[in-house]
Amino acid sequence: MRTCSFCGEQIQEGTGTMYVKKDGTIYLFCSSKCEKNRIKLGRVSRKVKWVKK
């Protein structure tokens, strides 16, 4: 089990999305909603109300 980099939920093996930046930083996302909020919109998870983290 892995943890989503944005919302902190558990991700089952074989599901989710991995995003690797040019500097080698790896982000794991459980859904496209989390991915868009972090990468495209640049939001911080502690300031988003629906995140349970």
Side-chain angles (χ1 to χ4, degrees), residues 3-34:
T3 306
C4 179
S5 299
F6 190 75
C7 68
E9 291 189 20
Q10 295 293 322
I11 305 170
Q12 292 182 356
E13 292 293 326
T15 61
T17 306
M18 180 185 287
Y19 182 85
V20 182
K21 291 175 60 174
K22 288 182 182 179
D23 64 355
T25 307
I26 299 172
Y27 293 114
L28 299 168
F29 298 108
C30 61
S31 64
S32 61
K33 180 180 180 181
C34 291

Side-chain angles (χ1 to χ4, degrees), residues 22-52:
K22 288 182 182 179
D23 64 355
T25 307
I26 299 172
Y27 293 114
L28 299 168
F29 298 108
C30 61
S31 64
S32 61
K33 180 180 180 181
C34 291
E35 184 178 359
K36 288 176 187 175
N37 275 282
R38 176 69 178 113
I39 303 299
K40 185 177 179 184
L41 300 175
R43 292 187 176 146
V44 180
S45 61
R46 66 180 176 267
K47 294 185 177 182
V48 180
K49 293 182 180 180
W50 55 267
V51 174
K52 298 176 185 176

